[in-house]
Amino acid sequence: MQVLYKSTRGTGDKITASQAILKGLSDDGGLFVPDSIPKLDVDPETLSKMNYQEIAYEVMSRFLTDFTEEELKACIEKAYDSKFDTEEIVPLVKKGNAYIMELFHGPTIAFKDMALSILPHLLTTAAKKNQVKNDIVILTATSGDTGKAAMAGFADVPGTKIIVFYPKNGVSPVQEKQMVTQKGENTYVVGITGNFDDAQTGVKKMFNDHELAKELDQAGYQFSSANSINIGRLVPQVAYYVYAYVKLMERGEIQNGQEINAVVPTGNFGNILAAYYAKQMGIPYGKFICASNENKVLYDFFRTGCYDRNREFILTSSPSMDILISSNLERLIYRVAGEDSEKNRELMGELTKTGTYHITPEMEDGLKEFYGNYATEEETARTIRKFYEENQYVLDTHTAVAAEVYEKYLVETGDEKPAVIASTASPYKFTRSVLTAIDPKYGDMDDFTLAEELEKLSGVKIPKAIEEIRTAPVRHNTVAEAADMPQVVKKILKIQ
């Protein structure tokens, strides 16, 4: 069955998967969604015997129906290879009353590698399929992890350039060092004097700037996105929720058909939406537990039905979740609005104009599978320490937010179903926050000494990603105002 893609704000015009991946964002400002979520018509028992690459193929081939088997398998093979430091790609580790799904074994030690290792291959394959003559300019805003993972994926890929914008004082020292030392003649990194939402809004504005698009086209370029607004980012993420379920079956931890819950530390809403899509494909997930940090806009939304970004933006120890505009939530809003693009457009217009929108009681009914809660900075630190003492396992700050929210969920509901906690980053990305949570004595050490201490404490070898940046020279040092982002892009592309 062919799956086509339409805009959440559009008139119903449909395009192929490869076209949606190339465009990134629809011309009307909407996000591309499949016209129907395909069912995964492979027996779970059969799936449970497959490796990660094979399961990824079964999932992605149902969504990306205009890619041939040969094309898609080639993309998967290039993506999930020795770049990952574990053969199984996504280990599942039982700790306490949940399974930690370790999504950080890729080249940049964050879950973004799971999708950004394959996106460059999907994108260049899509360009060939659609006879694209222009060079593709990947334009991306990052709250810390997407930027590095996207640059690592696209570095020196022919026919592409990648420009990443990040909040200059809003990422961890390791995240920043990973980005500013990135190699590749086609990679560019720009710190902006603002927060992630400023960077993301600036990127979206450029996507919707038709004059800029014309100038780019004349110079032989066109924009695409590596953010999770790109459907080519979202589809590969569905695969690991399918994988987690069937591997727990294979291990005898759950029975075929038994419901499990997913606990996801959430910023831009793509990762938790992928779990929801896995359920729509037929995988028996029960509740989606949406974990926020002190920027708890999603917690408030799930409790009240009102999305309100008019609040203080808080810099926390889990910076990848320091977000007040969760872009991917629009895909869920569109779905619970009965795929009514007019209603969705009205709500997103209100968000742009007033910073807030209210959904109807009928739409709220469609969110019953979601539970939202949040962790304060103190709770996050306490959870890291407690989890280490009880399990001799070190959580990063984002996974600690999820673990804390899961405990709150258990107390509030008593729902003891097995749960998978998405572990979105290695603790090595946030050594200072992690180690000082375990013991304040680590506070005076520099970041690389902290990495050595974490190795002793956790028994986990320092990842290659950290070793590499220790002595790497800084290659990118541009800083700009958010308002000047289009000028910066033109300067990089030499189309002034």
Side-chain angles (χ1 to χ4, degrees):
M1 189 190 82
Q2 194 184 23
V3 175
L4 293 170
Y5 289 81
K6 56 186 178 174
S7 166
T8 52
R9 303 183 196 180
T11 51
D13 296 340
K14 294 179 183 181
I15 61 175
T16 63
S18 64
Q19 289 166 335
I21 288 169
L22 275 171
K23 285 181 84 66
L25 194 67
S26 173
D27 293 338
D28 53 34
L31 276 62
F32 288 114
V33 288
D35 59 358
S36 64
I37 307 256
K39 288 293 173 216
L40 189 54
D41 49 359
V42 186
D43 174 57
E45 296 287 352
T46 306
L47 282 171
S48 72
K49 306 287 186 288
M50 295 180 183
N51 64 20
Y52 190 83
Q53 293 84 343
E54 290 163 336
I55 290 170
Y57 174 75
E58 295 300 337
V59 173
M60 289 189 226
S61 62
R62 301 308 187 274
F63 282 99
L64 310 178
T65 53
D66 68 323
F67 284 74
T68 67
E69 180 176 349
E70 192 186 354
E71 285 168 341
L72 192 51
K73 283 186 171 169
C75 291
I76 287 167
E77 213 174 286
K78 288 174 196 155
Y80 306 113
D81 59 8
S82 59
K83 289 192 290 292
F84 286 79
D85 65 15
T86 168
E87 205 177 310
E88 64 213 293
I89 309 294
V90 179
L92 287 152
V93 183
K94 188 166 182 13
K95 292 291 172 190
N97 52 7
Y99 299 90
I100 307 287
M101 176 168 61
E102 293 184 347
L103 297 170
F104 52 76
H105 288 277
T108 76
I109 57 176
F111 83 104
K112 306 291 169 79
D113 289 325
M114 296 305 302
L116 286 165
S117 291
I118 192 166
L119 183 61
H121 305 295
L122 293 175
L123 201 60
T124 48
T125 305
K128 276 192 207 111
K129 290 176 90 63
N130 291 278
Q131 286 88 47
V132 169
K133 301 284 183 280
N134 286 340
D135 276 10
I136 308 280
V137 178
I138 305 297
L139 207 57
T140 287
T142 186
S143 54
D145 287 335
T146 286
K148 172 63 183 179
M151 285 190 291
F154 280 95
D156 293 323
V157 170
T160 69
K161 290 188 189 302
I162 176 162
I163 306 171
V164 170
F165 293 94
Y166 75 98
K168 178 65 186 145
N169 298 308
V171 299
S172 83
V174 169
Q175 285 175 314
E176 182 168 51
K177 189 87 194 280
Q178 280 188 301
M179 285 191 281
V180 298
T181 58
Q182 175 64 48
K183 294 180 189 143
E185 292 309 306
N186 62 339
T187 65
Y188 305 88
V189 185
V190 182
I192 65 150
T193 52
N195 59 39
F196 169 73
D197 287 334
D198 298 324
Q200 181 167 254
T201 301
V203 164
K204 281 186 170 176
K205 271 187 188 157
M206 282 189 274
F207 270 107
N208 291 320
D209 184 336
H210 299 301
E211 282 306 309
L212 183 59
K214 261 188 233 160
E215 285 183 63
L216 255 76
D217 189 43
Q218 283 161 7
Y221 296 116
Q222 68 189 63
F223 282 146
S224 190
S225 169
N227 275 83
S228 54
I229 54 175
N230 193 319
I231 199 74
R233 265 282 299 276
L234 189 58
V235 167
Q237 292 180 268
V238 180
Y240 50 74
Y241 288 103
V242 175
Y243 178 85
Y245 187 89
V246 298
K247 287 301 161 184
L248 290 180
M249 264 177 58
E250 187 189 33
R251 281 160 45 168
E253 306 274 3
I254 58 171
Q255 302 303 307
N256 188 358
Q258 184 182 346
E259 272 196 359
I260 68 171
N261 294 329
V263 189
V264 189
T266 307
N268 222 7
F269 210 77
N271 200 0
I272 196 165
L273 186 68
Y276 176 77
Y277 275 18
K279 181 174 185 172
Q280 304 303 308
M281 291 190 92
I283 303 297
Y285 278 94
K287 283 279 189 188
F288 303 104
I289 298 159
C290 176
S292 301
N293 62 19
E294 288 181 359
N295 292 292
K296 56 189 180 65
V297 66
L298 288 166
Y299 163 74
D300 293 336
F301 170 69
F302 283 119
R303 293 288 157 128
T304 66
C306 172
Y307 193 98
D308 185 0
R309 67 170 168 84
N310 299 319
R311 60 183 72 205
E312 185 196 353
F313 185 98
I314 301 164
L315 292 174
T316 72
S317 60
S318 45
S320 299
M321 299 156 70
D322 291 348
I323 293 174
L324 295 181
I325 303 172
S326 295
S327 288
N328 274 289
L329 184 63
E330 180 172 344
R331 286 185 165 114
L332 183 63
I333 295 297
Y334 173 71
R335 193 170 172 86
V336 299
E339 307 211 333
D340 180 343
S341 56
E342 207 172 307
K343 177 67 179 166
N344 181 65
R345 199 162 52 241
E346 180 195 311
L347 292 171
M348 296 308 135
E350 281 176 35
L351 182 65
T352 304
K353 210 160 52 213
T354 66
T356 180
Y357 63 79
H358 291 258
I359 61 170
T360 64
E362 296 76 36
M363 289 170 73
E364 278 190 70
D365 279 348
L367 300 175
K368 286 208 170 92
E369 293 149 292
F370 288 85
Y371 165 92
N373 215 319
Y374 74 102
T376 64
E377 286 290 87
E378 293 73 24
E379 287 169 334
T380 304
R382 192 174 66 231
T383 297
I384 290 170
R385 184 169 62 253
K386 185 167 170 259
F387 209 90
Y388 175 70
E389 286 165 357
E390 290 176 0
N391 302 293
Q392 286 67 61
Y393 185 91
V394 183
L395 299 172
D396 92 289
T397 45
H398 303 73
T399 312
V401 167
E404 170 64 22
V405 164
Y406 181 51
E407 287 304 316
K408 289 181 179 180
Y409 173 78
L410 289 175
V411 169
E412 204 175 304
T413 66
D415 178 1
E416 299 274 340
K417 282 189 202 83
V420 168
I421 296 178
S423 183
T424 52
S426 161
Y428 279 99
K429 274 205 136 162
F430 306 96
T431 45
R432 187 168 304 281
S433 299
V434 163
L435 284 170
T436 52
I438 292 170
D439 192 330
K441 73 177 184 188
Y442 294 108
D444 297 329
M445 297 179 187
D446 71 77
D447 286 299
F448 291 106
T449 307
L450 287 171
E452 286 158 11
E453 292 297 322
L454 182 55
E455 184 175 52
K456 287 180 209 161
L457 203 66
S458 65
V460 175
K461 198 169 171 297
I462 296 176
K464 196 166 127 204
I466 298 296
E467 291 289 10
E468 279 174 354
I469 60 170
R470 193 186 284 250
T471 54
V474 170
R475 301 183 74 248
H476 309 273
N477 48 25
T478 306
V479 179
E481 297 289 329
D484 296 332
M485 286 164 63
Q487 282 69 42
V488 172
V489 168
K490 285 187 190 181
K491 193 174 174 188
I492 287 168
L493 299 176
K494 299 185 173 65
I495 55 173
Q496 289 290 53

